[in-house]
Amino acid sequence: MATQFAYRTALVTGASRGIGAAICRRLTGLGMTVYGVARSREALDGVVDELGVVPVVADVRDADAIVAGLAGAEIDVLVNNAGMVATVKPLYEQSAEEIAETIAVNLTAPMLLMRALLSGMVARRRGHVVNITTTAARGVLAGTSAYGGAKAGLSHACRSLRYDLAGSNVRITDLAPGRVETEIYLRAFGGDRGKLHDTMYGNVRALQPQDIAETIAAVLSLPQHVDVTEIEISPTDQAVGGHVFKSVQG
C-alpha cells in the first residue's frame, strides 16, 4: 500500500541556483508549496517563473527576516541548503572576516532557522529538517578548516537534535555530499568559472544537483516512523576526504 505523502510546504535556503534550485524543482514536483530564500528577488526569478516558488528575499543569516517573509506559513520541511566557501587555503592565511562569515553562513544561520521553525513543527507533530553538510565535515580536505569545522558542528547538532525531537514525530536528516558540480567554490576561485570547472569538475564524474534533490525526495517520502538520520552520498570515483579521483574510462 502506498504511503500518503505527509508534507505540504517547504522552505529551501540558497534556492536560486545549483542544489537549491534542483531541490525546489523536485519538491514542487511532489505537489509541495515551496518557499525559496535568496538575497535578491532577481536571483529567484528562474525558480519563481518556472516552478512557482514563493520568493523570500533575505540574507540566510537573518532568520527573523526569513520568518517575516513566510507571512505566517506553516513550514513542514526545512532544507538548510545555503552554504559558502570563502576561500581554500590554510586557516592561518584566511582573514578573520572570512572565517567569521564561513561559520555564520554554514553553522549559525541554519541553527537559528531551525530554532525559529522547529517549535511549530513540534506543536503540529509534523515536520522534517534536512541539513546539507559535506564529507569535508568527516574527512580532511586541505584548506577547508573553517568550512569543514562549521559543517561538522552542524552535523553534530543534528545528532543532538535527535534527542530533542524523539517522540515529536519531527524527523531530521544530515545529508553529507561529496563533490557536487555547483558554484560553491566559485568565490574561492576568484569568480573564474572556467578555472573552477577545469580544476574541480572537468575530468571527474561529479555528483549533480539533481542527485541531491532525488535523495531528499526519497527520504521525505518514507513512512513517518522511519527517520534516515545520516546519509553520505559521494561520487563513485571519490574517496571520502580526498581530492584525487581515479581515472574515469569512457
Side-chain angles (χ1 to χ4, degrees), residues 82-86 91 94 98-111 114 131-134 136-139 144-159 174:
M84 56 85 66
V85 179
L91 187 71
Q94 291 185 333
E98 287 171 334
I99 294 168
E101 183 182 11
T102 298
I103 294 171
V105 171
N106 294 297
L107 176 58
T108 308
M111 292 285 287
M114 286 190 289
N131 288 321
I132 298 182
T133 59
T134 173
R138 308 175 185 210
T144 63
S145 295
Y147 174 67
K151 290 290 193 178
L154 183 58
S155 181
H156 190 78
C158 288
R159 297 188 187 103
D174 171 7

Side-chain angles (χ1 to χ4, degrees), residues 56-59 62-70:
V56 178
V57 179
D59 190 304
D62 191 345
D64 290 341
I66 293 173
V67 171
L70 295 174

Side-chain angles (χ1 to χ4, degrees), residues 179-209 243 245:
R179 189 170 299 185
V180 186
E181 189 169 358
T182 71
E183 295 186 352
I184 190 170
Y185 285 98
L186 183 60
R187 176 173 166 183
F189 278 78
D192 188 332
R193 285 181 170 82
K195 184 178 179 182
L196 170 65
H197 179 269
D198 292 345
T199 303
M200 298 286 287
Y201 310 120
N203 298 306
V204 302
R205 298 184 298 176
L207 297 173
Q208 297 300 309
H243 297 271
F245 289 67

Side-chain angles (χ1 to χ4, degrees), residues 45-112:
D45 280 349
V47 292
V48 170
D49 294 343
E50 176 193 352
L51 306 172
V53 166
V54 182
V56 178
V57 179
D59 190 304
V60 72
R61 293 168 289 187
D62 191 345
D64 290 341
I66 293 173
V67 171
L70 295 174
E74 294 182 350
I75 297 300
D76 297 329
V77 174
L78 167 62
V79 183
N80 277 315
N81 162 70
M84 56 85 66
V85 179
T87 186
V88 179
K89 56 188 176 183
L91 187 71
Y92 54 83
E93 293 181 4
Q94 291 185 333
S95 69
E97 292 75 18
E98 287 171 334
I99 294 168
E101 183 182 11
T102 298
I103 294 171
V105 171
N106 294 297
L107 176 58
T108 308
M111 292 285 287
L112 292 179

Side-chain angles (χ1 to χ4, degrees), residues 113-170:
L113 199 49
M114 286 190 289
R115 173 188 174 274
L117 297 181
L118 274 171
S119 58
M121 294 182 186
V122 170
R124 294 186 295 274
R125 293 190 58 80
R126 184 180 72 247
H128 199 136
V129 176
V130 179
N131 288 321
I132 298 182
T133 59
T134 173
T135 55
R138 308 175 185 210
V140 176
L141 275 73
T144 63
S145 295
Y147 174 67
K151 290 290 193 178
L154 183 58
S155 181
H156 190 78
C158 288
R159 297 188 187 103
S160 295
L161 274 166
R162 285 281 296 118
Y163 284 86
D164 296 342
L165 297 172
S168 70
N169 203 46
V170 177

